[in-house]
Amino acid sequence: MAELPMGKGVSAGKIASNVQKKLTRAQEKVLQKLGKADETKDVAFEEGVINFNKQLAEGTKLQKDLRAYLAAVKAMHESSKRVQKCLADMYEPEWYGKDEMDSIVEDSDLLWTDFHQKLVDHALISMDTYLGQFPDIKARIAKRDRKLVDYDSARHTYAAVNKSKKKVGGISKPTSLLERATPGWAQGILSAHNVAQTSLSRSQAEEELERAQKVFEDINVDLQEELPSLWNSRVGFYVNTFQSVSGLEEKFHREIGKLSQNMYDTLEKLENEDMSRKAGNGERTTSTAQRSDRTQDANHTLSPGGPPAIPKSPSKLKPAVPPPPKVTPSKDLKPENIINLFDEASTPGISVTSPTQYDAPGASNLLDMDLDALQAATTPVSTNPQTWDSWEAAEGAPATEETAAAVTAEEANGTTEVEMPPNFLYKVQAMHDYVANDTDELEMKAGDVVLVMTYDNPEEQDDGWLMGVREADWLQKKDPNKKGVFPENFTQKM
């Protein structure tokens, strides 16, 4: 068996006394649990201990999470520092804003370092100080519990001593063999001795009870004052801690945002300078605005080589429609050479309705001809004179898919109005080719006519996008499932 350590100032008597106290406390607790001895209770103090343990658990968790937060800030600082150092190393000296970029990288590193240090000073150190008072109070609570057991044990011992002897006329009855074997003439002397011993034991028990009670009450009074005060202090501490953290975060993000904006501006100027240089060399460039436009809507990305990407506000950035050609009278066309096609008397030798090489489809006289087409063909549109051959080529050109579908529908319905798809709004004409990038998109060719319809669910409509079906598909199949979405700024309302 290992010997008990005998340190400086520790004697064998002191060790024996401590062992005796532990045995007495253990015996008292067993008797209390078995119901053989009563136990002193203090409900208010027990509630204070419950609050203390809860407060300690909350503070310990907050300290752990705060340390993890600081570790994350440190890791983010290191990651940001490495990324920006990589940028600074790649940034060539002759590029625009080299000095500004180096300054931004340095200031960013200093800002991260200052943010981390202030979090440590204003949050973590305060947290450690706050939790530093709990171990001492916890130890004194445990000591109070031990002294309470000692007090109960002394109280029970004192009560037992008072009831240990039954007295008859102030003299105890003989209870031991020594008392019964003592001759009659010596009984008086022995009884007097027993009375003196009983009085001495009762006096010692009373002194032990008073001493145990005083020690317990000294500790108990202090804790009765400290526990409620500590419990009430938690609100102010939590407020100060989180105000410090949130205030430091707000300031840090504001300052780091300024540096990020400066970096963005510097890089944008570098890009513009590079674009200007490439433009001077005849190289093809792509601006930042075009790149950002392409990333605004990932579900509606245009194919490469097409018109500019769909902007956030389509109504402001629709594709420019070429202006109509300027009508300039031909230099070779003199006023006296202009004839009135509707005055047969003025054109006796010209057959307008039946030229030698022109076969007017289904027109037996001048009134049955397409006057709009005839006017377009005979109107000079440029400095080059419009000849009969070119007019004939224009009139005899093959009809487009849209025209053919319209003619077919006209022939099939006659004068009956063509049925439009459900929720039809209006017609638009495609000004550019559009290649569908998703199954819900409508592919268009320049010149296609599209019947615009309302969305089945208005909440699904994106800004700058319309729902519709190509008129040719609708006239041929009457299938509303052929509909799809398309960019509004690729079309022009008819």
Side-chain angles (χ1 to χ4, degrees):
M1 179 176 179
E3 296 182 356
L4 294 174
M6 300 290 290
K8 183 178 179 181
V10 179
S11 62
K14 183 66 175 178
I15 296 177
S17 176
N18 291 336
V19 172
Q20 182 62 38
K21 286 182 180 180
K22 291 182 179 180
L23 292 175
T24 303
R25 290 168 185 161
Q27 181 181 0
E28 182 66 21
K29 289 182 179 179
V30 171
L31 292 176
Q32 290 176 355
K33 291 183 179 295
L34 295 176
K36 301 297 183 179
D38 62 321
E39 181 181 1
T40 302
K41 292 288 188 180
D42 189 341
V43 178
F45 183 82
E46 291 176 357
E47 291 179 355
V49 172
I50 293 175
N51 293 336
F52 172 84
N53 292 330
K54 177 182 178 182
Q55 187 176 1
L56 176 59
E58 291 176 349
T60 303
K61 183 179 184 302
L62 177 58
Q63 182 188 47
K64 179 181 178 181
D65 293 341
L66 189 58
R67 289 183 182 276
Y69 172 74
L70 288 171
V73 170
K74 188 69 175 178
M76 186 63 189
H77 175 201
E78 294 299 327
S79 299
S80 176
K81 183 179 179 179
R82 288 195 295 268
V83 170
Q84 293 190 351
K85 185 178 183 301
C86 182
L87 174 62
D89 293 341
M90 294 186 300
Y91 213 92
E92 298 181 5
E94 64 274 10
W95 288 359
Y96 174 85
K98 171 60 176 175
D99 295 337
E100 290 83 351
M101 186 60 64
D102 292 341
S103 177
I104 290 172
V105 172
E106 182 179 358
D107 292 343
S108 178
D109 179 47
L110 293 176
L111 190 60
W112 275 103
T113 302
D114 181 69
F115 176 52
H116 183 271
Q117 186 60 45
K118 287 184 177 179
L119 283 174
V120 173
D121 295 339
H122 295 84
L124 185 59
I125 294 180
S126 299
M127 189 76 233
D128 294 342
T129 303
Y130 170 75
L131 289 178
Q133 57 189 330
F134 283 83
D136 176 67
I137 297 177
K138 185 176 182 180
R140 286 192 287 139
I141 291 175
K143 184 177 181 181
R144 175 194 177 274
D145 292 341
R146 294 194 300 270
K147 296 305 178 183
L148 179 59
V149 175
D150 293 342
Y151 169 70
D152 287 341
S153 178
R155 184 166 53 83
H156 296 150
T157 300
Y158 178 75
V161 168
N162 288 334
K163 297 179 181 179
S164 62
K165 297 291 184 179
K166 295 182 179 179
K167 298 182 179 180
V168 178
I171 299 177
S172 301
K173 292 182 178 180
T175 57
S176 64
L177 293 175
L178 179 61
E179 291 178 348
R180 288 196 295 268
T182 302
W185 59 269
Q187 285 290 337
I189 299 174
L190 184 59
S191 297
H193 174 74
N194 289 337
V195 169
Q197 284 294 107
T198 303
S199 299
L200 180 61
S201 299
R202 187 163 48 247
S203 176
Q204 290 177 346
E206 184 176 3
E207 290 178 0
E208 182 64 23
L209 175 61
E210 292 177 355
R211 187 186 65 80
Q213 182 177 3
K214 184 177 184 304
V215 173
F216 167 73
E217 289 181 350
D218 289 343
I219 299 177
N220 185 62
V221 170
D222 292 340
L223 290 176
Q224 292 281 10
E225 295 177 356
E226 292 182 24
L227 289 181
S229 177
L230 180 63
W231 174 251
N232 294 331
S233 69
R234 73 192 191 285
V235 177
F237 172 76
Y238 295 156
V239 169
N240 293 334
T241 300
F242 284 97
Q243 278 185 342
S244 298
V245 173
S246 58
L248 291 172
E249 283 184 341
E250 189 275 334
K251 182 179 179 181
F252 168 76
H253 289 300
R254 184 175 68 250
E255 296 299 328
I256 203 70
K258 293 179 182 178
L259 292 178
S260 299
Q261 184 62 48
N262 293 340
M263 178 181 289
Y264 181 88
D265 295 340
T266 302
L267 293 174
E268 187 175 32
K269 291 178 182 178
L270 172 64
E271 181 192 36
N272 293 336
E273 185 181 83
D274 185 62
M275 289 175 59
S276 300
R277 180 184 61 80
K278 289 181 178 179
N281 296 335
E283 300 179 24
R284 183 183 178 189
T285 61
T286 303
S287 65
T288 304
Q290 290 175 326
R291 288 198 304 271
S292 61
D293 287 341
R294 285 199 297 267
T295 60
Q296 286 180 1
D297 195 340
N299 295 326
H300 302 104
T301 305
L302 300 181
S303 60
I310 301 166
K312 185 175 182 181
S313 179
S315 60
K316 295 182 179 180
L317 297 177
K318 290 184 178 179
V321 179
K326 183 177 180 181
V327 179
T328 305
S330 174
K331 296 180 180 179
D332 299 334
L333 187 63
K334 298 181 181 180
E336 56 270 18
N337 293 335
I338 300 176
I339 62 175
N340 187 351
L341 298 179
F342 297 94
D343 189 357
E344 295 183 359
S346 61
T347 56
I350 300 177
S351 176
V352 178
T353 59
S354 300
T356 304
Q357 298 179 357
Y358 176 72
D359 186 11
S364 60
N365 54 55
L366 184 61
L367 297 179
D368 293 334
M369 293 182 63
D370 188 350
L371 299 181
D372 293 336
L374 183 60
Q375 182 179 3
T378 58
T379 302
V381 296
S382 65
T383 57
N384 297 325
Q386 185 72 283
T387 63
W388 180 268
D389 293 338
S390 62
W391 176 81
E392 179 184 8
E395 285 297 318
T400 63
E401 183 181 1
E402 297 290 341
T403 307
V407 172
T408 303
E410 184 66 23
E411 292 177 353
N413 299 283
T415 58
T416 305
E417 184 178 356
V418 178
E419 179 185 2
M420 290 300 178
N423 302 323
F424 168 74
L425 296 176
Y426 53 85
K427 294 182 180 181
V428 296
Q429 187 174 23
M431 306 302 294
H432 303 278
D433 292 348
Y434 178 69
V435 179
N437 292 283
D438 206 343
T439 56
D440 65 336
E441 295 182 3
L442 182 68
E443 188 162 317
M444 304 182 300
K445 298 291 185 181
D448 286 352
V449 177
V450 180
L451 306 179
V452 181
M453 301 180 292
T454 59
Y455 276 73
D456 296 335
N457 185 2
E459 295 181 356
E460 296 179 355
Q461 182 171 3
D462 297 328
D463 292 338
W465 290 80
L466 299 176
M467 173 73 72
V469 61
R470 293 172 64 249
E471 186 179 42
D473 295 337
W474 173 252
L475 294 177
Q476 291 177 3
K477 301 180 180 180
K478 295 292 191 300
D479 185 5
N481 294 326
K482 294 289 186 179
K483 65 183 179 181
V485 297
F486 59 91
E488 180 183 8
N489 61 339
F490 273 54
T491 63
Q492 184 179 24
K493 190 173 181 180
M494 299 178 61

